[in-house]
Amino acid sequence: MKHIKKILLALTAVAMMVVLLSTSAFAVSSNSSKKYVYTCFGDSVSAGYGLTGYNADYGYDKYYWPTIEGSFPDIIRDTKNAKIYQFAHSAYRTTDLRVLLDRSFTGDSMAGYRLPSVNNDERNIDWNKVEAYRDEVEKAVKASNLVTVEIGVNDSSMPALNATETFSDSLTSALSLNVPRVVKDVTFYGALAEGEINAFRLFSQNFDAIIQGIRNYNKKCKIVVIGNFNPMKDYKIPSGFGLPIGPFVDPIFANQNNYMQNQCPLRDQYTYVDMTDVKTHMNDPESPMYGADFHPTYNGHRQIANRVLKVL
């Protein structure tokens, strides 16, 4: 009887061990097969500008843009076998992205250039389409367990670019004596100048609202904030003096990065990833487009993807 009792105890122990191991194995299996749903917010870097397949004429009335092969969102998607919601649009500023994540925010006089507009008149935002756009963003963020945010470089550069884009249009209006349009443009350029002055001050406010907007929709997803890099860091003006221009623009990106990494009151809600020394056509002598474009090369996109994947 004593031997039988020992055997029964041993069998009970073995049975319990099998149950425990089975449960543990199931847990490991469940975690390892975690399905990634990935939402990407960003500007031309995230949109894959300059890579093969990028369409410079893709419309701003479209909510989702293509994920370009070889871009860092594409690499992350493939590595994690993820479903991706690609909201990165070239030239987006923090102001434009905030409009999509903060339903109380109406943007500024330039928001219509990168958001849906009425009859392609960039001075008039199509708010019905924006509301539908916001719905898509909300749905995507709620479904995601990974969100990347790469934004800010255009905050100071886009006002000047927008002025250039509208210059010829304004001149044509003036020559045709279209007084109402000229007056409208004068108002626009006044707001443009003010926007340039306030660009750095507004960056922090918009960035905070972007992070808060994501958290309002999803309390648990991992947010990865991608730092801004100086694409001209090692570039010199091609002249006899070889004047470096990187130091002149370093403070712009340094201030933004310092805010995102150290000063944002919501910095415990996301993981910041530094992007120092990312390879771009401007700073990579091996690029066939060396000195001609500020965007990452394929190697640069791989660098970004690797740094993001490292923190997942």
Side-chain angles (χ1 to χ4, degrees), residues 1-264:
M1 177 66 77
K2 187 179 293 185
H3 291 298
I4 294 175
K5 188 174 181 180
K6 287 182 178 180
I7 292 173
L8 288 174
L9 288 173
L11 289 173
T12 301
V14 169
M16 290 178 65
M17 187 175 295
V18 169
V19 170
L20 289 172
L21 288 175
S22 298
T23 304
S24 177
F26 177 79
V28 171
S29 176
S30 296
N31 288 334
S32 62
S33 61
K34 177 183 179 181
K35 176 63 177 177
Y36 265 87
V37 180
Y38 170 28
T39 291
C40 177
F41 293 121
D43 51 36
S44 55
V45 173
S46 298
Y49 182 95
L51 303 183
T52 301
Y54 177 85
N55 181 2
D57 297 321
Y58 209 75
Y60 285 92
D61 59 328
K62 297 179 175 63
Y63 307 152
Y64 298 100
W65 272 25
T67 303
I68 303 302
E69 183 177 356
S71 65
F72 81 80
D74 175 64
I75 296 171
I76 294 172
R77 175 186 63 179
D78 289 352
T79 302
K80 291 297 185 181
N81 190 29
K83 174 182 175 62
I84 188 170
Y85 293 100
Q86 175 60 292
F87 292 111
H89 287 45
S90 291
Y92 262 20
R93 303 165 298 149
T94 55
T95 299
D96 307 316
L97 181 54
R98 179 180 175 181
V99 169
L100 301 179
L101 285 159
D102 180 355
R103 292 180 184 268
S104 67
F105 186 62
T106 57
D108 58 15
S109 60
M110 291 179 291
Y113 273 77
R114 308 304 169 200
L115 296 172
S117 58
V118 178
N119 296 325
N120 293 320
D121 180 357
E122 297 88 348
R123 294 158 182 78
N124 293 291
I125 294 177
D126 188 332
W127 286 108
N128 289 329
K129 285 189 176 180
V130 168
E131 280 302 317
Y133 199 164
R134 287 168 165 169
D135 290 341
E136 290 298 310
V137 166
E138 179 179 354
K139 180 178 70 175
V141 173
K142 284 182 174 178
S144 296
N145 43 27
L146 171 63
V147 177
T148 60
V149 179
E150 173 269 317
I151 199 77
V153 171
N154 293 316
D155 278 35
S156 59
S157 62
M158 285 314 302
L161 180 58
N162 284 334
T164 302
E165 289 179 344
T166 57
F167 176 75
S168 59
D169 183 39
S170 299
L171 182 60
T172 301
S173 298
L175 292 176
S176 64
L177 298 180
N178 185 344
V179 176
R181 181 59 182 266
V182 173
V183 171
K184 200 170 189 180
D185 283 343
V186 169
T187 303
F188 171 77
Y189 286 121
L192 180 66
E194 183 180 359
E196 186 70 59
I197 293 172
N198 292 329
F200 294 109
R201 178 179 61 83
L202 294 175
F203 169 81
S204 59
Q205 297 176 15
N206 291 336
F207 181 78
D208 292 355
I210 288 167
I211 299 301
Q212 187 61 62
I214 295 171
R215 274 290 171 248
N216 287 343
Y217 290 147
N218 193 322
K219 303 296 184 185
K220 297 182 179 180
C221 68
K222 185 171 185 64
I223 304 174
V224 178
V225 170
I226 296 169
N228 294 321
F229 56 87
N230 179 357
M232 297 177 285
K233 181 177 183 296
D234 301 314
Y235 183 68
K236 297 181 179 180
I237 296 176
S239 67
F241 296 103
L243 180 66
I245 59 177
F248 290 99
V249 293
D250 261 337
I252 298 173
F253 306 109
N255 288 337
Q256 290 181 341
N257 289 334
N258 182 55
Y259 182 81
M260 292 186 289
Q261 184 175 15
N262 302 308
Q263 297 179 327
C264 176

Side-chain angles (χ1 to χ4, degrees), residues 256-291:
Q256 290 181 341
N257 289 334
N258 182 55
Y259 182 81
M260 292 186 289
Q261 184 175 15
N262 302 308
Q263 297 179 327
C264 176
L266 299 170
R267 60 188 179 276
D268 63 335
Q269 297 293 315
Y270 58 83
T271 300
Y272 174 84
V273 179
D274 179 69
M275 288 298 152
T276 303
D277 298 326
V278 164
K279 294 293 184 183
T280 73
H281 299 293
M282 192 63 76
N283 65 19
D284 186 358
E286 296 181 3
S287 169
M289 296 172 59
Y290 178 54

